[in-house]
Amino acid sequence: MFKFVIKGGKELKGKVKVSGSKNASLPILFASILSGELELANVPQLRDVDTTCKILSHMGLNVEREKKTVKVSGEVKKAEAPYELVKMMRASILALGPLVARYRRAVVSLPGGCAIGLRPVDLHLKGLEKLGARIEVKHGYVIAEAPEGLRGADITLDFPTVGGTENLMMAATLAKGKTVIRNAAKEPEIVDLARALREMGAEIEGEGTDTIEIKGKAELRGATYRVMADRIEAGTFLAAVGTAGGEVEIEDFPYESLTAVIEKFSEAGLKIERLGEKRVRVKKVGALKGTDITTAPYPGFPTDMQAQFMAAMCLAEGVSVIKETIFENRFMHALELQRLGADIKIDGNTVVVKGVEKLYGAKVTATDLRASASLVIAGLAAENTTEVYRIYHLDRGYEKMEEKLRALGAEIERVKSELNY
Ligand code: UD1
């Protein structure tokens, strides 16, 4: 196991390029099951992508990876995602819709709870039942069957679940007739998935709005596609400069999909200047001001940026109120930030941060992906040395994070942990 050792106090300076989106790559890779042929470019090299490729290979598909391009081809021989792989990544449930749509039967291990809350998949299952699948949950596995194939349906989601919308959208592309998904998630990754599916010949309209319409096809064809840039990684760099200070130019910056985050950091006093369609310059001039956020489904403030925003607010002047409405129990990083000297009070789904003048290096432990990013960011700004344990969480979702930060002047090293985690 490895940890990060960070010598804090250095401002960030230079240029950095945002990688391809993790949360768009995963569903699009699972969509390859629908056509049996996909060439996907700009795929980030990280652990969740490795896990997805392993699941596809386990099913019998050929998966070739060359740097940032993944090629999938062939037929599924075993429509199954086993516990050993699913437990490494909740998004494995995204195999369910494509498998049952194309192969009429799927067995996918039920994703368990995770550090940021219960995260059930009931809405995925209810939606697939509406599309005509018979669902049974047995021995920890979801078994979905549709011997006659799926048929289009009108589905209204109780909550605009991102993964649920993706699963149903993929399944509906091969269902007989028309499917309407209402109260659908509007996240940019849904739009990216719809575009990729269209390249495969799917008929989809309305992605990015709360009503998505899909006309099912008998089959889809092979396609090539390039994944969008990672808006959360881009936002994380805003937070890094907002916390550690400095001036950084960010390339491949998905501006339109980050407006809520840009607005909040700007309100806090961070200077964000758009230099081109996909390029911004971010600069910290003096301390930020305490600023409130409430997480919400897109286009609201993303829950995946909540931890990093909190890190920035730890050193802001005044008080910030941070409310989490998407996941329960997503404040584990707050307790670790306290170890660095942050003044934070947690009350249910709300956190009150009183800005302090300085953070001080300490040993901290990452509990989930975005929490680990917040601790790294705080460590960059803290005096002396911060050691972040369990960075395998960070490796799930950030491509070459420490190399990118080092190129910006940060002192951060990956070293073997003396603990057994
Ligand atoms: C996706 C993202 C994750 C992000 C989240 C919210 C991927 C791979 N992951 O996760 O990074 O934090 O969106 O933007 O894209 N829910 C149910 N029943 C369901 C499904 C969800 O109750 O069947 C609840 C969840 O418990 C949670 C909320 O809905 O409280 C949001 O979950 P969802 O939008 O489904 O998130 P994910 O797709 O898992």
Side-chain angles (χ1 to χ4, degrees):
M1 295 292 178
F2 290 87
K3 64 179 177 181
F4 281 143
V5 177
I6 304 167
K7 293 216 172 80
K10 288 228 163 138
E11 294 202 330
L12 302 174
K13 285 215 157 57
K15 273 191 192 170
V16 67
K17 191 169 173 200
V18 176
S19 296
S21 161
K22 166 179 94 73
N23 285 354
S25 297
L26 306 183
I28 299 175
L29 284 170
F30 282 116
S32 69
I33 296 170
L34 295 165
S35 66
E37 206 183 328
L38 173 73
E39 183 174 327
L40 194 59
N42 203 30
V43 181
Q45 291 168 294
L46 28 90
R47 233 185 64 200
D48 276 5
V49 170
D50 302 343
T51 306
T52 304
C53 290
K54 273 190 202 148
I55 292 174
L56 295 174
S57 307
H58 174 90
M59 291 173 183
L61 291 161
N62 306 312
V63 183
E64 290 167 56
R65 264 177 101 175
E66 213 195 300
K67 293 188 181 149
K68 291 173 190 279
T69 300
V70 181
K71 283 188 200 168
V72 186
S73 60
E75 291 287 324
V76 165
K77 295 179 189 82
K78 202 166 36 167
E80 181 205 282
Y83 174 74
E84 295 71 40
L85 294 170
V86 174
K87 78 171 192 318
M88 296 169 76
M89 185 187 75
R90 286 186 42 81
S92 314
I93 193 71
L94 295 174
L96 193 64
L99 280 179
V100 71
R102 174 113 194 259
Y103 295 96
R104 302 187 172 190
R105 183 180 150 86
V107 181
V108 176
S109 174
L110 199 60
C114 67
I116 61 175
L118 279 173
R119 299 182 86 176
V121 291
D122 54 320
L123 303 176
H124 300 232
L125 304 188
K126 269 194 218 161
L128 287 173
E129 276 177 336
K130 280 211 107 176
L131 292 173
R134 263 200 326 263
I135 308 262
E136 213 185 341
V137 179
K138 230 171 43 187
H139 309 305
Y141 278 82
V142 180
I143 303 159
E145 280 177 337
E148 308 296 318
L150 298 177
R151 48 182 155 66
D154 201 306
I155 304 166
T156 302
L157 295 171
D158 289 348
F159 181 86
T161 153
V162 175
T165 303
E166 291 167 344
N167 231 339
L168 298 174
M169 199 161 84
M170 289 190 280
T173 60
L174 290 181
K176 220 176 258 164
K178 185 169 130 181
T179 298
V180 184
I181 308 172
R182 301 177 198 278
N183 199 22
K186 296 183 274 206
E187 267 68 3
E189 292 77 14
I190 305 264
V191 175
D192 216 36
L193 171 63
R195 285 185 182 148
L197 288 169
R198 262 204 295 272
E199 288 298 311
M200 296 180 182
E203 248 186 82
I204 303 178
E205 272 175 38
E207 74 275 9
T209 74
D210 59 8
T211 306
I212 303 177
E213 287 192 18
I214 302 125
K215 284 204 188 108
K217 295 269 177 176
E219 56 182 33
L220 298 186
R221 55 172 186 259
T224 56
Y225 191 73
R226 187 183 164 81
V227 178
M228 64 181 274
D230 197 306
R231 63 190 170 103
I232 304 301
E233 187 197 350
T236 301
F237 283 115
L238 295 182
V241 176
T243 314
E247 183 177 334
V248 171
E249 216 175 285
I250 312 176
E251 285 173 32
D252 250 356
F253 188 93
Y255 198 93
E256 265 77 29
S257 62
L258 262 176
T259 49
V261 174
I262 292 168
E263 218 154 275
K264 280 296 170 181
F265 274 117
S266 303
E267 190 183 324
L270 194 64
K271 304 277 173 251
I272 303 167
E273 186 189 347
R274 195 170 186 177
L275 302 174
E277 204 200 326
K278 294 181 186 169
R279 219 151 48 89
V280 301
R281 184 186 296 128
V282 51
K283 188 175 178 183
K284 185 175 180 184
V285 188
L288 299 187
K289 285 195 304 285
T291 303
D292 302 342
I293 57 161
T294 299
T295 63
Y298 190 84
F301 193 96
T303 174
D304 284 353
M305 277 300 301
Q306 178 256 105
Q308 303 90 311
F309 192 83
M310 190 186 296
M313 290 305 104
C314 290
L315 288 168
E317 274 170 5
V319 173
S320 315
V321 179
I322 296 178
K323 196 167 165 195
E324 173 60 56
T325 71
I326 306 294
F327 294 113
E328 76 274 24
N329 196 25
R330 203 177 192 177
F331 286 143
M332 304 291 276
H333 48 280
L335 301 169
E336 299 298 303
L337 290 169
Q338 282 173 343
R339 296 176 57 77
L340 298 173
D343 184 343
I344 296 179
K345 286 206 171 48
I346 308 174
D347 183 9
N349 71 345
T350 304
V351 152
V352 178
V353 186
K354 239 190 237 165
V356 292
E357 252 175 52
K358 277 183 181 167
L359 294 175
Y360 300 95
K363 292 186 180 196
V364 289
T365 301
T367 48
D368 65 68
L369 170 57
R370 308 303 169 187
S372 51
S374 77
L375 297 176
V376 168
I377 288 171
L380 295 175
E383 288 200 338
N384 302 321
T385 305
T386 295
E387 296 183 44
V388 185
Y389 291 87
R390 295 207 165 143
I391 54 170
Y392 56 85
H393 288 297
L394 191 110
D395 294 336
R396 278 192 39 223
Y398 286 96
E399 188 180 51
K400 303 197 169 92
M401 186 60 152
E402 78 265 33
E403 282 176 35
K404 289 187 182 186
L405 289 172
R406 258 201 308 272
L408 296 175
E411 271 193 64
I412 172 167
E413 294 294 335
R414 179 184 291 255
V415 302
K416 243 186 152 44
S417 165
E418 72 286 8
L419 304 175
N420 61 357
Y421 56 83

